[in-house]
Amino acid sequence: MSQYWSPLVKSLTPYVPGEQPKITNLIKLNTNENPYGPSPKVLEAIRSVADDNLRLYPDPNADQLKQTIADYHKVNKSEVFVGNGSDEVIAIAFQALLKQAHPILFPDITYSFYPVWSDMYEVTYNTVPVTDSFEIDIQSFNQKNGGIIFPNPNAPTGRLLALENIKALLEMNTESVVVVDEAYIDFGGTSAIELVKDYPNLLVIQTLSKSRSLAGMRVGFAIGHADLIEGMERVKNSFNSYPLDKPAQAAATASFLDEAYFQGCCTKVIASRDQLTQELTQLNFEVLPSAANFVFAKHSTEDAEALAQQLRDRSIIVRYFNKPKIDQYLRISIGTQEECDSLVTALKEILK
Ligand SMILES: *Cc1c(COP(=O)(O)O)cnc(C)c1O
């Protein structure tokens, strides 16, 4: 704490990301990264821009990337916003769309960055409890609000809200923006992007960090009515003209052009998730149904924090949240099949 900090900075409690340990030979199942690398075509695209032209600024509007995303998702380019990771895209949505007279709403069990951005941008919020089975109940969002945001599938539970429910929520909530954070949608859900044409207050946000194996490049995007996007562009262009560097624009564009590789990775992750779910269940874990690239699991007798530590002693890192309602759960990212097998072997040893 410094006397020179602004009062706002003194009041902040920043988000703490899952650790990125500097240890080698670790089985890293704590931050939902894709266990498979990006497409070889993506790597080639990055190499192709590593030349003298890096002395020039990148395209501030990322036109080619936006057009590629628009074509991929069958929307207009004016309905696409891109940013430096979806974390940045969400932060901009907070400033541009969610800072309103009424408090915004999000689930009580959700992405823990939402309250951090709320505090940072002085957005008031109320949390809405998820059900006992960790489902989002849209009826509980039926109250006056300045906006609604939730991940679908939700994090860290992995639970999916069906598209009909999102539609029902949009029918009920027309006066404020509904942001659906689809960081994990490619692992088992149907995107709400198809609803954008019918609901001018819907903003869907996706990332290339998880399903497209590009967490290290930092690319995310939003799709919504052109007026919502224009509001976000105003904030972006009042803050940073060049959030996406040239390698990131090239990599992201190439990713959308290699559908077979993308689908292949998603299929492998989904198969490993379903197998891991069965194996954990046999080891007396209760595993929430997951549509994401992680599972959220609770053992019938063993303490979650102790289990996380014992896995760590065996060089396997999973995520543990010391928070009410979820402090007996572990969030386990889906690794390669070999990594999942090593996890199961380690758990069998610990639990025997
Ligand atoms: C990982 C994640 C993000 C952030 O992704 P980046 O694009 O890497 O910034 C956003 N929302 C949720 C729910 C996530 O899990």
Side-chain angles (χ1 to χ4, degrees):
M1 182 82 77
S2 158
Q3 61 167 309
Y4 302 112
W5 288 2
S6 69
L8 175 66
V9 167
K10 284 181 189 159
S11 77
L12 295 179
T13 309
Y15 176 74
V16 183
E19 54 173 329
Q20 297 292 343
K22 307 283 184 290
I23 314 161
T24 46
N25 293 326
L26 206 63
I27 298 186
K28 194 175 172 305
L29 306 176
N30 67 330
T31 51
N32 301 341
E33 289 136 329
N34 203 305
Y36 306 106
S39 151
K41 290 178 187 162
V42 167
L43 300 179
E44 184 46 43
I46 296 168
R47 277 192 287 268
S48 76
V49 296
D51 63 19
D52 275 358
N53 285 320
L54 282 178
R55 70 194 174 78
L56 301 171
Y57 281 107
D59 176 1
N61 296 318
D63 281 321
Q64 196 192 356
L65 174 58
K66 280 186 188 168
Q67 188 62 58
T68 304
I69 294 173
D71 293 345
Y72 186 88
H73 284 295
K74 302 187 173 62
V75 297
N76 295 318
K77 183 162 154 276
S78 60
E79 295 168 317
V80 180
F81 179 88
V82 295
N84 190 267
S86 63
D87 281 343
E88 183 184 78
V89 177
I90 301 166
I92 287 173
F94 266 76
Q95 294 172 83
L97 308 171
L98 299 181
K99 193 173 162 116
Q100 304 288 353
H102 289 283
I104 64 164
L105 304 175
F106 49 79
D108 60 342
I109 304 298
T110 197
Y111 190 32
S112 49
F113 221 139
Y114 300 155
V116 177
W117 285 309
S118 298
D119 292 344
M120 169 85 162
Y121 297 118
E122 301 178 290
V123 171
T124 55
Y125 64 89
N126 287 324
T127 59
V128 172
V130 294
T131 67
D132 290 344
S133 50
F134 293 98
E135 285 173 281
I136 288 176
D137 170 15
I138 57 159
Q139 286 312 324
S140 58
F141 286 86
N142 197 357
Q143 49 180 295
K144 189 126 189 90
N145 65 75
I148 294 174
I149 182 167
F150 57 89
N152 196 42
N154 198 4
T157 64
R159 295 219 65 156
L160 184 73
L161 184 65
L163 205 56
E164 306 99 78
N165 289 316
I166 295 181
K167 204 169 162 176
L169 176 68
L170 288 159
E171 289 294 332
M172 173 174 104
N173 192 89
T174 55
E175 298 297 304
S176 70
V177 170
V178 175
V179 180
V180 184
D181 176 0
E182 293 189 334
Y184 303 102
I185 196 73
D186 297 323
F187 299 108
T190 305
S191 174
I193 290 172
E194 63 185 65
L195 302 178
V196 161
K197 61 180 186 324
D198 299 324
Y199 299 93
N201 61 329
L202 168 64
L203 188 77
V204 181
I205 297 182
Q206 293 193 0
T207 175
L208 279 74
S209 297
K210 283 43 184 260
S211 58
R212 294 185 181 272
S213 312
L214 283 172
M217 282 318 280
R218 316 303 306 124
V219 186
F221 62 95
I223 293 182
H225 190 284
D227 292 348
L228 298 187
I229 301 304
E230 188 188 338
M232 292 175 70
E233 294 289 353
R234 288 172 75 108
V235 171
K236 175 247 174 194
N237 290 320
S238 304
F239 174 67
N240 181 0
S241 308
Y242 307 104
L244 286 189
D245 55 60
K246 258 187 220 182
Q249 293 187 32
T253 303
S255 168
F256 285 100
L257 300 176
D258 194 350
E259 181 68 9
Y261 185 89
F262 161 70
Q263 291 294 349
C265 290
C266 291
T267 303
K268 281 191 280 188
V269 168
I270 291 167
S272 298
R273 174 191 72 210
D274 294 347
Q275 187 178 329
L276 182 63
T277 300
Q278 278 188 12
E279 289 168 327
L280 290 174
T281 307
Q282 278 158 15
L283 292 172
N284 290 322
F285 281 90
E286 179 201 311
V287 187
L288 296 187
S290 170
N293 67 336
F294 56 84
V295 291
F296 203 51
K298 177 187 173 181
H299 194 265
S300 60
T301 55
E302 300 305 305
D303 178 65
E305 191 169 19
L307 277 178
Q309 183 56 49
Q310 290 171 89
L311 286 170
R312 200 186 176 91
D313 296 341
R314 290 164 174 80
S315 299
I316 299 175
I317 304 201
V318 300
R319 191 91 191 256
Y320 170 74
F321 300 92
N322 193 357
K323 287 188 180 163
K325 284 166 96 164
I326 57 170
D327 65 351
Q328 283 310 320
Y329 283 82
L330 296 176
R331 192 196 67 188
I332 306 169
S333 307
I334 304 304
T336 60
Q337 190 51 48
E338 296 77 69
E339 288 174 324
C340 293
D341 293 344
S342 302
L343 170 76
V344 171
T345 305
L347 282 171
K348 281 180 180 160
E349 240 175 73
I350 293 166
L351 295 168
K352 83 159 176 260

